Amino acid sequence: MDAAAVAASLVPSWSAVLVLFSYLGYLAAAGAVLPGKLVPGAVLPDSSRLHYRCNGLLSLLLLLVLSALGVYMGWMSPTVIADRGIELLSTTFTFSVIVTFLLYYSGLRSHHKSSSLKPHITGNFIQDWWLGVQLNPHFMGVDLKFFFVRAGMMAWLFINLSLFAKSYLAGSANLSVILYQFFCAWYIVDYFVHEEFMTSTWDIIAERLGFMLVFGDLVFIPFTFTIQGWWLLRNKVELPLLAAVVNCFIFVIGYLVFRGANKQKHIFKKNPKALIWGKPPKLVGGKLLVSGYWGIARHCNYLGDILLALSFSLPCGTSSVIPYFYPTYLFILLIWRERRDEARCSEKYKEIWVEYCKLVPWRIFPYVY
C-alpha cells in the first residue's frame, strides 16, 4: 500500500462506520438480552455495588456463528476486517475521542452523589479528560466501562480471525501463523470464560472512565495486540520444531501462572477461607494473602501476563523487533503499574505492608526483581 492510499484510508469511511456501529450495536443488544451470571462488583466507598451480567462468552459464540453464517451465505467477506484495517483503526480512534469528550462534558454536568456517578473534577482539563470524571458512567442502561473492555477483547479475536482467513486464502498459514492464532484465541476465549474475574480488577473498581481507558480498550487492545498477525501476513517465518516446543512451553507456564494467580485472588476476595493449593490461606494482618502464587511474588499475575505476551510474539521469529511491541509495552506498563500499586498499598496497609514485603520479597520475577 503506497503513501497516498494509506493517507486516504486514515479518513474514516462510511463503510468502516457501519462495521463499527453494527459491531457495537450487536454487543449492546446481546449484553442486554442474552442470559448470563449476574456477578456483584466490589463494594464502593458509599457502600453501593454494581452488578455485572457476565454473558460475554455467549455473546462471542453467537457472533462467531452469525459471522460464519454471513461468510457462508456470501453476505460478507472473511477478510473484511483485514482489508479495511486502517480505515477501522481511524474510525475507532475518532469514535473514542468523541466518546471521551461526551463523557467529560456529561460528567461535568452530573449532580449525582453516588460513588459510580459522582464527578471527580480537578480543574485540569487534560487530566480530567484523560483519566475521566466518573467512575462508572452508563448509557441507556449499559455500563460503559465493562462494555468497552468486552468490545476491545472481542475485536482482538475478530481482527486475528480475519488476518488468518487472509493468510489461509493466500496459502501462507504455516506453523508460525497457527501458533500465534491459537495462543491468542485461547487467551481471549479464556478471558470470557472467566469474565467475572474482571469485576474485581483495579480498572473496574477504581479507574474512572476517560480517554485512557476508552482508547486503551477500543483502539490499543485490538489494533496493537494484533501487530504480530499483521506482521506474519507480510513476512513468512519458518519456525524450527524446537523453537515451537519452547514457545508452547512458555505459553503454558504463562497461562498457568496468570490464570492461577488471578483465580486465587478472585476466590479469596469472595471467600477468604477458601483453600488454596489444598491448604487454608495464610494472611498477613488478616488482610493480605501470602499463599499460593501470592506467596511467590507480590504481583505474580504480572509475570504470567508477560510470559503470555512473549509467547504471542515468539512465532514471528527474531528477524525484527516490530512483533515484540506488545510484550515490550506490557513489560513497561506492568513495571509502572506495579510501582503505583506498591505505593498505594504501602499507604493503605502501612505496617502490614512492610511485614508482607518481608515475607514476599519479590515483586514480579522471583529471585530477580
Side-chain angles (χ1 to χ4, degrees):
M1 185 179 292
D2 57 29
V6 171
S9 61
L10 285 174
V11 179
S13 65
W14 285 113
S15 58
V17 170
L18 177 62
V19 171
L20 176 63
F21 277 80
S22 297
Y23 172 65
L24 296 177
Y26 165 81
L27 287 183
V33 303
L34 292 180
K37 183 178 180 181
L38 199 62
V39 177
V43 178
L44 299 175
D46 63 354
S47 299
S48 66
R49 69 194 312 172
L50 300 179
H51 289 76
Y52 301 90
R53 187 178 300 279
C54 293
N55 55 8
L57 181 62
L58 187 57
S59 299
L60 172 61
L61 295 176
L62 179 58
L63 185 55
L64 284 170
V65 171
L66 293 175
S67 299
L69 178 63
V71 171
Y72 177 77
M73 297 298 293
W75 298 334
M76 59 181 286
S77 166
T79 64
V80 61
I81 301 175
D83 293 337
R84 299 181 179 274
I86 298 179
E87 291 179 38
L88 286 169
L89 170 60
S90 62
T91 302
T92 308
F93 174 78
T94 303
F95 174 77
S96 299
V97 172
I98 294 172
V99 165
T100 50
F101 276 117
L102 292 175
L103 286 172
Y104 172 76
Y105 287 113
S106 63
L108 289 182
R109 297 197 305 269
S110 174
H111 298 289
H112 286 274
K113 300 300 182 182
S114 67
S115 295
S116 288
L117 299 176
K118 180 181 178 180
H120 298 263
I121 303 169
T122 67
N124 183 321
F125 166 74
I126 297 298
Q127 182 176 338
D128 291 339
W129 172 72
W130 180 270
L131 295 177
V133 175
Q134 294 176 301
L135 183 63
N136 296 299
H138 286 65
F139 178 71
M140 297 180 66
V142 176
D143 183 294
L144 292 178
K145 189 192 295 184
F146 197 66
F147 175 78
F148 288 150
V149 175
R150 177 180 290 182
M153 291 296 294
M154 212 173 287
W156 178 7
L157 178 62
F158 277 90
I159 292 174
N160 269 348
L161 291 176
S162 187
L163 291 171
F164 179 74
K166 204 168 182 68
S167 295
Y168 178 80
L169 293 174
S172 59
N174 59 10
L175 179 60
S176 294
V177 172
I178 292 171
L179 282 179
Y180 164 72
Q181 291 286 343
F182 174 78
F183 293 156
C184 289
W186 182 285
Y187 179 87
I188 296 165
V189 172
D190 179 77
Y191 168 88
F192 285 108
V193 170
H194 300 95
E195 189 178 31
E196 68 174 275
F197 293 0
M198 186 65 191
T199 63
S200 59
T201 61
W202 176 254
D203 285 355
I204 294 295
I205 294 173
E207 295 281 17
R208 298 188 295 276
L209 187 62
F211 181 78
M212 182 181 72
L213 284 188
V214 175
F215 172 82
D217 291 338
L218 294 183
V219 181
F220 200 83
I221 288 177
F223 290 100
T224 63
F225 289 11
T226 55
I227 285 176
Q228 303 95 317
W230 292 102
W231 196 86
L232 286 171
L233 188 62
R234 292 166 175 78
N235 299 271
K236 187 175 182 180
V237 177
E238 295 294 344
L239 203 64
L241 181 59
L242 179 59
V245 171
V246 171
N247 196 170
C248 291
F249 178 76
I250 292 173
F251 172 78
V252 171
I253 296 300
Y255 172 76
L256 291 176
V257 173
F258 173 77
R259 178 52 62 212
N262 282 327
K263 186 174 182 178
Q264 287 176 355
K265 179 180 69 173
H266 181 78
I267 291 175
F268 173 72
K269 287 184 176 181
K270 298 295 182 182
N271 179 13
K273 295 183 179 180
L275 298 181
I276 294 180
W277 287 350
K279 298 179 181 179
K282 293 182 180 180
L283 305 179
V284 174
K287 297 179 179 181
L288 300 179
L289 180 66
V290 291
S291 292
Y293 289 105
W294 301 97
I296 298 174
R298 301 199 291 270
H299 304 273
C300 209
N301 54 331
Y302 290 176
L303 172 61
D305 216 358
I306 291 169
L307 290 175
L308 283 169
L310 180 61
S311 74
F312 298 161
S313 297
L314 287 174
C316 299
T318 57
S319 63
S320 173
V321 298
I322 293 175
Y324 290 86
F325 169 81
Y326 174 36
T328 303
Y329 151 78
L330 188 67
F331 177 82
I332 296 171
L333 172 70
L334 293 182
I335 293 293
W336 170 76
R337 178 170 284 188
E338 172 264 321
R339 291 300 178 112
R340 190 177 68 164
D341 291 348
E342 293 272 325
R344 180 177 59 86
C345 290
S346 178
E347 181 180 352
K348 180 178 180 179
Y349 297 110
K350 303 186 185 308
E351 293 82 8
I352 296 176
W353 185 254
V354 174
E355 183 182 353
Y356 173 64
C357 291
K358 290 179 180 178
L359 291 173
V360 188
W362 308 110
R363 295 169 180 259
I364 298 177
F365 303 96
Y367 304 102
V368 177
Y369 173 76

